[in-house]
């Protein structure tokens, strides 16, 4: 089984990157035939700006830009999509949101029918979300962010595209006490990613 791990953080030394590596270790550790590909959006210089060419593809049926097609091909090779990212202002970083804006295109991720009905096209793609934060879950839940998070990301993006969200983990550093404890949990999540598929 093959996982595409998408990482959105500018520093390769970050806890986010270390968590992505821990997830990868969990995926391949017990089952060496499993494989992982990293899409490091910052290091690869992915352009998150929804451009005129993206709009033409959406509204006029023009060809998708080459960089979008390349990302879609990476996803198509994967048996699971894993997004690992820090929480910025109670949501995902703009770089990752821009990646979704551009890559999860009409006709590929979902289809808008003539009758206005939308059908998701990614029912074959299990999604695993790992968000890292500096607050704690009590605060996250107290202010309604946990529900908003689920509505905006799990439901608003992936349910819309038909992609089942198998993991929706919010790993808050204060809840774990140490980076090592958080990384241990990230590895355990990685170990479970293909459990239901094998």
């Amino acid at each position: 089984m093959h996982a595409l791990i998408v990482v959105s953080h500018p520093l390769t030394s970050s806890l986010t990157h270390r968590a992505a590596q821990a997830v990868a270790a969990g995926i391949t550790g017990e089952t060496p035939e499993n494989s992982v590909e990293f899409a490091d959006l910052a290091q690869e210089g992915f352009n998150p700006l929804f451009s005129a060419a993206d709009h033409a593809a959406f509204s006029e049926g023009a060809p998708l830009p080459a960089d979008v097609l390349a990302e879609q091909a990476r996803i198509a090779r994967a048996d699971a999509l894993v997004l690992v990212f820090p929480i910025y202002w109670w949501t995902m970083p703009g770089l990752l949101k821009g990646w979704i804006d551009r890559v999860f295109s009409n006709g590929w991720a979902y289809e808008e029918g003539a009758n206005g009905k939308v059908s998701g096209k990614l029912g074959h793609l299990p999604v695993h979300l790992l968000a890292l934060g500096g607050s704690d879950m009590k605060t996250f839940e107290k202010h309604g962010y946990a529900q908003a998070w689920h509505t905006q990301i799990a439901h608003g993006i992936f349910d819309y595209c038909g992609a089942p969200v198998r993991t929706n983990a919010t790993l808050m550093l204060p809840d774990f006490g140490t980076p090592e404890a958080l990384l241990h949990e990230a590895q355990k999540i990685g170990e479970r990613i293909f459990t239901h598929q094998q």
Side-chain angles (χ1 to χ4, degrees):
M1 306 292 277
H2 179 67
L4 176 65
I5 301 179
V6 181
V7 188
S8 181
H9 194 289
L11 302 179
T12 57
S13 59
S14 66
L15 185 59
T16 300
H17 275 268
R18 292 168 63 199
Q21 292 289 343
V23 170
I27 290 171
T28 59
E30 296 295 317
T31 313
E33 59 268 23
N34 286 345
S35 60
V36 167
E37 178 183 359
F38 287 97
D40 184 340
L41 301 182
Q43 293 300 312
E44 294 174 8
F46 181 81
N47 182 0
L49 181 64
F50 193 85
S51 67
D54 293 299
H55 191 271
F58 172 75
S59 62
E60 302 164 21
L64 289 165
D67 61 341
V68 170
L69 291 172
E71 296 302 306
Q72 290 178 348
R74 287 171 119 172
I75 296 170
R77 292 191 296 269
D79 300 298
L81 176 65
V82 184
L83 306 184
V84 184
F85 55 94
I87 298 170
Y88 289 171
W89 291 106
W90 306 108
T91 190
M92 62 177 61
L95 177 59
L96 180 57
K97 179 59 167 56
W99 182 80
I100 291 169
D101 288 346
R102 297 190 64 214
V103 174
F104 284 62
S105 62
N106 183 20
W108 183 81
Y110 63 94
E111 193 79 58
E112 291 185 358
N115 60 358
K117 184 177 169 77
V118 174
S119 58
K121 299 186 74 173
L122 298 180
H124 62 283
L125 182 68
V127 173
H128 303 267
L129 307 171
L130 278 82
L132 282 71
S135 180
D136 55 55
M137 280 308 296
K138 185 176 178 183
T139 301
F140 204 63
E141 291 167 354
K142 173 185 172 185
H143 293 286
Y145 294 123
Q147 182 58 47
W149 186 266
H150 174 79
T151 301
Q152 177 191 0
I153 299 174
H155 178 66
I157 297 172
F158 297 107
D159 285 353
Y160 190 84
C161 298
V165 176
R166 302 285 190 217
T167 304
N168 191 357
T170 308
L171 307 182
M172 299 296 204
L173 185 55
D175 293 330
F176 286 92
T178 66
E180 290 71 27
L182 186 150
L183 295 173
H184 179 68
E185 179 61 21
Q187 182 166 341
K188 283 172 34 182
I189 289 170
E191 290 168 1
R192 296 192 297 266
I193 281 178
F194 289 128
T195 301
H196 66 281
Q197 292 178 246
Q198 294 177 335

